[in-house]
Amino acid sequence: MKKAFAKIIRGIMSALARLPLGFHYFWGDVVSWLLRCVVRYRTDVVWMNISRAFPNKKYKELKAIYMAFYRHLGEIFAEAIWFGGSSYERLNKAGIVTVKNPEVLAKMYEDSPSVTVMCTHCGNWEILGGFYGYMTRDGFECPFDETALTVVYKRLSSDLSDMIFAMNRINALETYSPDAIIESHNILRFCITNKDRKKIYGYPADQSPYKKMGRHDMGIFLNQHTYAMTGSLGVACKLSHAVVYLKMKHLGRGKYEWEFIPVCQNASEHTPDELMRKYYDLLEMEINETPHNWLWSHNRWKI
């Protein structure tokens, strides 16, 4: 029953997604205002996170980041809905994502058993499903096809919402692959079972540790003591994956630039904690460059 209802809602969303991106941005701005001024969605968390992360910034600077974050949050919703009705051709025509250096990921893929791509909640993670299309946008010849890609995600608390957004995230794929997205609690078994397949795994790794996961001390991140999950990098170390950081710079409305920053070619030569510390150093540099571009509404430092 839930699956059928989810398909109906996805059908409605797909119809709406056919409308121009500008239409969605109009409603994204409305959503942004509602979240900030009416619902006051996690406004205390957002303000606390920003002010603690940048203790040397003046109130006016902090307020500018706060306002820009909510505006961008509305854009994320707008782009996610629009993405759900998009093909690679439509995504590339809009130019929503430009990949600065696709050759870096391609080379790491060719020279390793598999690649672990450390993603973040910068930019718009809801449009990761267009990964292969972005890579090949300017005629770049990838040494892999879209079936090599697997994005790891945390299941939403609502089964209905989880089904809807899972379908939305893989809509752009030209070839359906059952392992295009894998829930986080299944990924270890999946990686080990498929260790002989050359894959590219994308992990959003900047969340607060899940209750049942181990907490690893990362030291100071954004001026606060931080714990992290290292399971993704533990798998990479065990299976000798290459590791790369995906920087998702927000250039302006509807424009993102992706850059692959190598972390290591063989994770087995490092410890998971060492690699995760490098990840958080790169993430902090990215946030300092474009402060509004991170998911400040996430209660990252909850006890």
Side-chain angles (χ1 to χ4, degrees), residues 1-294:
M1 183 66 180
K2 286 183 179 179
K3 191 172 183 179
F5 192 40
K7 287 184 177 180
I8 292 172
I9 295 176
R10 269 293 302 138
I12 296 172
M13 288 173 62
S14 293
L16 290 173
R18 302 296 176 183
L19 295 169
L21 187 52
F23 170 85
H24 293 286
Y25 281 136
F26 170 80
W27 289 107
D29 288 340
V30 173
V31 169
S32 173
W33 176 78
L34 288 172
L35 290 175
R36 180 171 54 85
C37 300
V38 180
V39 180
R40 295 190 60 79
Y41 173 71
R42 296 193 175 184
T43 52
D44 290 343
V45 172
V46 172
W47 188 255
M48 179 177 64
N49 283 343
I50 292 173
S51 58
R52 287 180 176 177
F54 306 109
N56 297 323
K57 288 187 181 295
K58 297 179 181 179
Y59 174 80
K60 187 176 181 180
E61 295 174 295
L62 297 174
K63 185 67 177 292
I65 297 171
Y66 175 90
M67 296 293 287
F69 161 73
Y70 275 102
R71 182 173 185 269
H72 183 46
L73 189 60
E75 292 174 349
I76 290 172
F77 281 110
E79 290 159 359
I81 298 298
W82 175 82
F83 176 84
S86 297
S87 61
Y88 290 154
E89 182 180 1
R90 190 187 192 208
L91 292 170
N92 291 336
K93 185 177 180 180
I96 194 166
V97 171
T98 300
V99 182
K100 183 177 180 179
N101 56 349
E103 69 282 353
V104 168
L105 179 62
K107 185 67 165 59
M108 296 183 83
Y109 175 83
E110 289 180 320
D111 295 344
S112 65
S114 284
V115 180
T116 290
V117 179
M118 303 301 289
C119 306
T120 73
H121 284 90
C122 291
N124 189 345
W125 52 96
E126 291 293 341
I127 61 174
L128 276 169
F131 198 114
Y132 184 74
Y134 309 142
M135 286 286 292
T136 56
R137 173 188 171 190
D138 296 319
F140 181 77
E141 295 186 10
C142 283
F144 54 85
D145 61 26
E146 61 182 2
T147 61
L149 302 166
T150 293
V151 176
V152 183
Y153 80 105
K154 180 184 178 183
R155 186 178 182 86
L156 298 175
S157 56
S158 165
D159 290 341
L160 181 61
S161 296
D162 187 74
M163 283 187 279
I164 291 169
F165 280 96
M167 287 188 278
N168 196 76
R169 289 165 182 152
I170 62 173
N171 179 77
L173 294 179
E174 294 178 351
T175 304
Y176 172 74
S177 173
D179 51 289
I181 54 174
I182 298 288
E183 292 177 48
S184 55
H185 72 271
N186 291 328
I187 192 59
L188 176 59
R189 180 182 299 173
F190 180 85
C191 287
I192 293 174
T193 302
N194 293 274
K195 64 181 180 179
D196 294 326
R197 291 175 61 195
K198 186 171 282 199
K199 296 278 291 178
I200 295 176
Y201 297 98
Y203 295 87
D206 51 353
Q207 306 102 316
S208 179
Y210 306 157
K211 289 182 179 179
K212 295 181 179 180
M213 302 294 287
R215 283 160 44 98
H216 292 254
D217 191 342
M218 290 295 108
I220 301 300
F221 165 64
L222 289 177
N223 203 47
Q224 297 176 79
H225 206 95
T226 300
Y227 292 90
M229 299 175 289
T230 62
S232 56
L233 290 171
V235 174
C237 290
K238 188 180 294 291
L239 300 178
S240 302
H241 290 184
V243 179
V244 62
Y245 175 89
L246 174 56
K247 180 180 179 181
M248 295 190 276
K249 188 175 182 179
H250 185 219
L251 301 177
R253 173 160 283 189
K255 300 294 179 185
Y256 299 95
E257 181 186 75
W258 285 12
E259 180 181 0
F260 296 106
I261 302 175
V263 175
C264 71
Q265 186 61 49
N266 184 349
S268 67
E269 297 174 353
H270 306 268
T271 68
D273 282 17
E274 288 173 349
L275 296 175
M276 187 59 77
R277 182 64 252 180
K278 290 182 180 180
Y279 166 81
Y280 273 102
D281 288 343
L282 289 167
L283 176 57
E284 185 161 355
M285 289 173 60
E286 182 174 2
I287 292 171
N288 282 322
E289 187 177 329
T290 50
H292 73 279
N293 194 36
W294 195 49

